[in-house]
Amino acid sequence: MSKPFDVQILVTLFNQCFESSLRTRLVPGAEEPLYQPAQDASDVHRIYSTRDYFASALHEISHWCIAGEARRLLVDFGYWYEPDGRDAEQQAEFERVEVKPQALEWLFSRCCGFPFKLSVDNLHRPEEQASPVFKDAVVAQVHGYLCGTLNSRAQQFALACGQFYHGPQWSLEELSPADFALSWL
């Protein structure tokens, strides 16, 4: 029997992994995604994902997994973001900085058995397609993660997702670079 793609499952998995150890909590339901660092030692860091969207939660977790310790002390990790309506140059910059988080989101999606869709995140131009350079870079990054560049937070969360969705014997070795082909994007 397949398990549902309910964002509350991700909340439980993420919070079990990181709420105590790294004082970080996943909170769905926001109008816009946001990372809010703790205000003081008694507070927790919060990753806000959009509404109840499973993919939004995976994407925001991906950003958190990539952000280093110093960036995790900054609102939205101090990242640059240009909202919808980007011109071609801004869109190219967006794609450049989104390679790692989208590759990690794809890996997490596969751990859950959830369909992944590469995002150009430019709703004002719905005809906008991901550039071939972006697609190639995302595929190469996933392959890099699978070959050993996945950090411990990403490994821990990927394993928790995989074991929840596929059983306690599941491991990251279940994934191979062949599972992540350009033709899937």
Side-chain angles (χ1 to χ4, degrees), residues 83-97:
D84 286 350
R86 293 181 289 274
D87 63 26
E89 184 177 317
Q90 293 166 326
Q91 187 64 29
E93 178 65 8
F94 167 83
E95 289 182 0
R96 188 188 67 74
V97 300

Side-chain angles (χ1 to χ4, degrees), residues 14-183:
F14 183 88
N15 293 349
Q16 285 174 347
C17 289
F18 305 112
E19 188 168 14
S20 293
S21 62
L22 293 173
R23 297 179 30 245
T24 306
R25 184 180 299 153
L26 177 62
V27 182
E31 283 300 310
E32 293 292 329
L34 177 74
Y35 173 74
Q36 182 65 54
Q39 299 302 305
D40 56 49
S42 66
D43 195 9
V44 295
H45 309 289
R46 289 177 180 81
I47 302 169
Y48 292 98
S49 63
T50 306
R51 297 183 180 89
D52 63 349
Y53 300 154
F54 198 85
S56 173
L58 290 176
H59 186 77
E60 297 313 311
I61 291 167
S62 298
H63 276 289
W64 178 81
C65 285
I66 291 165
E69 193 172 332
R71 283 208 179 258
R72 293 193 314 269
L73 297 176
L74 304 172
V75 172
D76 255 355
F77 314 109
Y79 289 148
W80 161 90
Y81 183 76
E82 185 70 36
D84 286 350
R86 293 181 289 274
D87 63 26
E89 184 177 317
Q90 293 166 326
Q91 187 64 29
E93 178 65 8
F94 167 83
E95 289 182 0
R96 188 188 67 74
V97 300
E98 278 289 308
V99 168
K100 287 182 178 183
Q102 291 208 28
L104 196 50
E105 178 188 348
W106 192 5
L107 189 143
F108 290 157
S109 294
R110 293 285 298 175
C111 292
C112 297
F114 183 74
F116 172 75
K117 184 175 187 286
L118 192 66
S119 174
V120 296
D121 192 38
N122 205 346
L123 301 176
H124 283 88
R125 297 175 64 193
E127 74 287 353
E128 183 87 33
Q129 298 293 315
S131 72
V133 170
F134 184 43
K135 290 178 181 179
D136 289 343
V138 170
V139 170
Q141 185 63 57
V142 171
H143 292 182
Y145 287 148
L146 293 173
C147 293
T149 63
L150 199 59
N151 70 40
S152 62
R153 287 174 290 138
Q155 285 179 9
Q156 184 178 355
F157 185 68
L159 188 60
C161 290
Q163 289 180 344
F164 177 83
Y165 280 97
H166 304 289
Q169 302 306 319
W170 188 90
S171 73
L172 285 171
E173 287 75 34
E174 300 285 328
L175 301 175
S176 97
D179 295 330
F180 299 87
L182 187 59
S183 62

